[in-house]
Structure formats: C-alpha cells, structure tokens
Amino acid sequence: MSNPPYRPRPFRQSRLSATLVLALGALAGCEKSSPPPAAQAAAQPAPAPAKPAVPSEVTLLITGGAFGQLQPAEGKGGAAELLGQWVKDEKHCPGPVKEGQASCPDSGTVALATGDHWNGPALSSFFLGAPTAEVMGRMGYAASAMGNHELAFGKDAFVKNRAAGGFPFLAANLRVKDPALAGDLSMPAFQVFERRGLKVGVVGLASEKTVRTAMAGRAEGLEVVGYEESLTGAVDEARKAGAEVLVVLADTCVTELKPVVAKHPEWKVSVVAGGRCPQSVYTKENGVVFASLDRGFSRYLRAHITFDPAKPAAAKVTNVEGKLVDVAGGAPDAETAQLIAKWKTQLDEALGQPIGFTKAGIKQDSPQMAQWIAGAVRDSLGTDVAILNKKGIRGDLPAGPVTRGNIYTVMPFENSLLVVKLKGEDLARQLANPNALVSGFSAAGKNKFKDAKGKPLDPAKEYSVATVEYLYFGGDEFEFEKLAPEPTETGMAWQTPVVDWTKALETSEKKPLEKQLK
C-alpha cells in the first residue's frame, strides 16, 4: 500500500507566520519609538584670530647732536632719509611723542639724542633753530641730553624750540642755583619711558663746560656738578621711579664716563651714549654698550634690548646688543622732506641772493678762511687786530656764487662783536692761544708776533682788538674780560661785517673772492 504525499503540518506554518509577523511588528514598533534626528546647530561666527604676542624687545635709536644738518651732506645722511630708514628697518613710529608715549600702539622704539641741535647750516641757524626743532618733533624723539650749544640763540629761543620739538632736555648735573635768574631753564635729571611693558630710564648729562662757555646771561642761575655725584643721585631716583633698564645720554665723549660707570657696577647701566669724540666710538665692556656719535643724521646707534616680562624688575633685561648703523640713502620720509623744503624755500627767499663769487671755494681750516672772516671784521671795525675762534667756523665756503646763506652756514653761531683795548704783552698771550683765528698779526718766532706791516708787536703799546662775546667771557680759555672789564659793545652780529665786506668787493668769476684776499 503506497504512502500518501507529504503535506506540511498546519500548526508549523501558522507558527512561522506568526513569528514573522511579530518580528516585523517589533521592527516597525522600534522605528516609531525612535526620536527624530537632532536639529543642526545654528551657525556660529568664526572666532577672531588671536592677536600676535607683543615681542619682548625694545630698540633704542640714538643720534648725536643734530647741529642743524637737516639735509644730506656730501650724499650722506639727512633727517628725512634717517626717518625713512627708521620706519622701514626699525619699525619706528614717527610723529611727536606725547607724555612719553609714541603715536602708535605697541611701539617698540625710543628715539634719543645726545644734545647740541640748533646751530649749524643757515637752514637752521638763520631761523634760530626752529626748523630743526620742528623736524625732530616729526621724527619722534623722546628725549635729548642738554648740549652746551643749546643756548646759542638765547633762553627764549631754547624754550620755544623745546616746546616745538615736544621732547624734554635732560641734565642730572645742571642744577638751578638761582631760580630768579634761571627762569624756565630748570630741566629733569631723567625720564622713564615704557615700551612693550619694559620701563626704560634715560638719564641726561650736560657738558661740564655748559655754564662757563655759554654767552653772557644765557646760563645765569645755573651750576654744573660732577658726573659721578649727579649720576649717583639720578640713577637711584630713576630706579625708584620704576626704571628696569638704564641709559645715559651725555654731551661729552664716552671715554670720560667709562671709569665712572666702571666704578659703579651697582648702577647696572646698560647703554652710555655721547658725542664730542674726535671720531665715532663703539665698545661693549662688562655688558655696557658705550658709543659716541657723529654730528647730524648720517649714523645712529641701534641698542637692541631683550627682556623677560616674567622676571622681577632688577633681572628683567636678558641682553643688550649695540651697533652703529649708517644711513644708507633709502626712501626719505615724505612729510619730513616737505617740512625741510618749506624752510629751505623761506631761507632761499631771505638769503639766496648772490653777494659775491668764489671760483675755488675756501676750506674751513685754511689761512684764506682767517683772511676772509677775521679780515672782514678787522677792516669793518677799524681795529688793529681781530681775534675770533677757529671752532666758530663750521664749514667750507663752496665754489660758486657766495650768498648770505653760505656765510651763515660757515659762521652759524649767534655772536655779537666787542672791541677792547689791550697792552701788547697781554695781546701776545691771546694771539698765542691755539684756538685763535687772527687778522692783523702773524707769528714771528716763539711768542713773537708782527703786525700787517711787518712791525714787531710792542709789549708796552695799547692795541685795539675786535673779538666776539663768546671769547670775551672766557670761551676757549681767552682772558679778555679779566684784561679789559669795560669793552665797547658794537651791537653787531659777527656775520654782518663779513656779509657787507664781501658784497663791497664786488667779486665775480673773473675777479673771484680768493684772489682779493691778502
């Protein structure tokens, strides 16, 4: 008997179907109970980039005395050219420094000078230093030492120029003895400037000659004390005021200050800058940078200071490196160039008219210079002799037309002429002074002299002598005031007879000035 065909059991089919239905249902239930995806977060603005950290470094930019040399000399330097280089290479911020702060944030430079700024070429001296003051303000100078020629144009001119420049003159060793006489000449011993969190203390020193070489009445009420004494007090006060690095600016050669600074390592001076050396000086001794700068704007000292802001004040400075940098003649600062051009236009209008001609020019230290300058004074005043000073002549007379401007450039100082009477024996000592620029007498052996006609100087005879106020009151070791206490005051600037005498010669290319000199 055959077996019937196989048929699935009904209960198994139902069981599988039910299981499948339950599984699908469970899946469906899971989908329904799951929460909807979270909504995308609203877009947020991108965070601002972090401000770059301010470098822990400060650069001092130090020049010597400007001496009114605003324009390039022999293709070198120039105020506009220097500022252009400072902005490009040193990231210096131009413009007046107000209350010790530069005109741009995070400035890392301090511009300083060693003193003697106003007198020099006619571009500055004819306007009593005002052009140099205005230009230095634009250049962003923070302070200067007090130079002994700062009072060359009188107290009032100095006060005006100081205000126009917008920076203080510092002199720890120049003190007011009589406020009634000194007037507005009181000046601070030091100043503290903060750059990038570092407090830079700057102490100034005037030349020890400042009071005795200033012309009559210009330094009355002031006295000069010694470098060591004044620095001892000023350094201590600057530290109390928060100075974390110390700089000394001096209107003297730094070789005079080296032994003083070496004697006081506790001062922890980092930089000593000065002028008045025969040539530029740069040394680094026991961690101290010593430098003396040239006149004008042809070279500067870059003193680069690095520091650790986390360290205490006394140990914050980690290194100081110095370098003398020449002005390389890059693009000049346009605004400074415009200022100089404005003053140059005014000068040309006032002094540009030719009054003579020289074919070869006259060198500063030549016998012809004495014949021209001192000879003009002697002839104009009708004296037996004229005695001026060689240091008062500050440049060559260039070849070509001679203008009043040329004369003010050669003779930049404000000096009035005096006439005195001296016995021959006293006159001989003045003629023997190595600084004398003479007309009317010449050497005729050791301590012997002869006049313009070849006649020997008579020790017993009385001679009339023309000189300048600066020498009369003891400048360059002359003795006129002691020997002749009642001089005749001419009220004449010393440039005036040179201008008038040169003009009267009517020199030309065919009859040049140098051929007219005896």
Side-chain angles (χ1 to χ4, degrees), residues 66-418:
F67 279 93
Q69 295 179 13
L70 302 180
Q71 296 178 299
E74 298 180 355
K76 299 179 181 178
E81 289 74 10
L82 173 61
L83 182 55
Q85 185 165 321
W86 277 358
V87 172
K88 178 179 178 291
D89 296 346
E90 312 291 358
K91 311 307 176 191
H92 177 63
C93 181
V97 173
K98 297 180 179 179
E99 297 182 355
Q101 295 300 316
S103 59
C104 53
D106 298 332
S107 173
T109 60
V110 185
L112 305 166
T114 65
D116 282 346
H117 302 310
W118 321 132
N119 58 291
L123 180 59
S124 181
S125 60
F126 183 76
F127 300 104
L128 307 185
T132 301
E134 187 175 349
V135 166
M136 290 182 74
R138 163 63 191 167
M139 295 173 75
Y141 278 87
S144 172
M146 178 69 177
N148 76 316
H149 290 303
E150 240 68 77
L151 299 174
F153 302 122
K155 289 183 180 180
D156 290 344
F158 168 72
V159 171
K160 289 178 182 178
N161 290 338
R162 180 173 60 181
F167 55 88
F169 284 79
L170 310 176
N173 61 331
L174 191 62
R175 299 178 182 175
V176 173
K177 181 172 61 176
D178 187 338
L181 293 175
D184 295 331
L185 292 185
S186 176
M187 55 199 69
F190 69 91
Q191 192 101 349
V192 177
F193 303 95
E194 185 167 351
R195 296 290 186 272
R196 294 177 172 173
L198 181 69
K199 293 181 179 178
V200 181
V202 181
V203 179
L205 291 175
S207 167
E208 291 184 333
K209 302 177 181 178
T210 298
V211 172
R212 69 175 184 266
T213 59
M215 283 183 280
R218 296 180 186 176
E220 286 182 336
L222 299 175
E223 64 177 350
V224 175
V225 297
Y227 294 139
E228 184 174 6
E229 176 187 349
S230 54
L231 278 175
T232 299
V235 166
D236 184 56
E237 291 300 316
R239 290 292 187 189
K240 289 178 181 178
E244 296 162 328
V245 60
L246 278 175
V247 180
V248 176
L249 301 176
D251 180 34
T252 190
C253 183
V254 291
T255 56
E256 295 186 40
L257 298 176
K258 281 183 181 181
V260 178
V261 174
K263 185 178 176 181
H264 293 278
E266 74 278 6
W267 289 347
K268 295 184 178 179
V269 171
S270 294
V271 178
V272 180
R276 295 185 172 276
C277 290
Q279 55 190 6
S280 293
V281 172
Y282 177 83
T283 61
K284 187 174 182 181
E285 300 176 15
N286 299 319
V288 183
V289 170
F290 292 92
S292 272
L293 288 307
D294 303 325
R295 294 177 177 179
F297 298 109
S298 62
R299 176 179 288 185
Y300 64 96
L301 169 67
R302 175 201 291 139
H304 188 70
I305 304 168
T306 54
F307 63 97
D308 185 345
K311 290 186 176 181
K316 188 172 286 189
V317 173
T318 56
N319 191 42
V320 179
E321 291 296 335
K323 182 181 180 182
L324 293 179
V325 183
D326 290 327
V327 178
D333 175 70
E335 186 171 330
T336 306
Q338 290 174 359
L339 282 176
I340 295 171
K342 176 195 74 172
W343 286 106
K344 183 65 167 61
T345 298
Q346 293 182 39
L347 180 70
D348 290 343
E349 292 173 354
L351 300 181
Q353 183 179 3
I355 59 172
F357 187 88
T358 171
K359 192 172 184 178
I362 299 177
K363 292 294 183 182
Q364 178 178 349
D365 56 354
S366 67
Q368 286 181 315
M369 182 64 75
Q371 293 163 5
W372 178 41
I373 300 295
V377 170
R378 183 172 71 90
D379 283 2
S380 298
L381 296 182
T383 57
D384 297 313
V385 58
I387 302 179
L388 309 176
N389 61 319
K390 294 177 182 177
K391 295 178 183 177
I393 308 302
R394 292 292 181 163
D396 300 337
L397 178 68
V402 180
T403 67
R404 287 180 173 86
N406 293 138
I407 293 173
Y408 273 85
T409 296
V410 171
M411 309 166 63
F413 297 102
E414 186 186 61
N415 261 312
S416 63
L417 289 165
L418 306 173

Side-chain angles (χ1 to χ4, degrees), residues 439-489:
S439 174
F441 276 87
S442 58
K446 186 176 182 180
N447 297 323
K448 294 182 179 180
F449 301 90
K450 60 183 178 180
D451 66 17
K453 297 180 180 179
K455 193 173 181 179
L457 183 147
D458 184 347
K461 182 180 176 180
E462 188 175 71
Y463 293 90
S464 60
V465 184
T467 190
V468 288
E469 187 182 5
Y470 170 69
L471 298 190
Y472 178 82
F473 288 102
D476 288 340
E477 310 301 326
F478 284 90
E479 304 172 298
F480 293 115
E481 183 181 22
K482 180 176 69 175
L483 298 171
E486 296 183 4
T488 300
E489 298 186 24

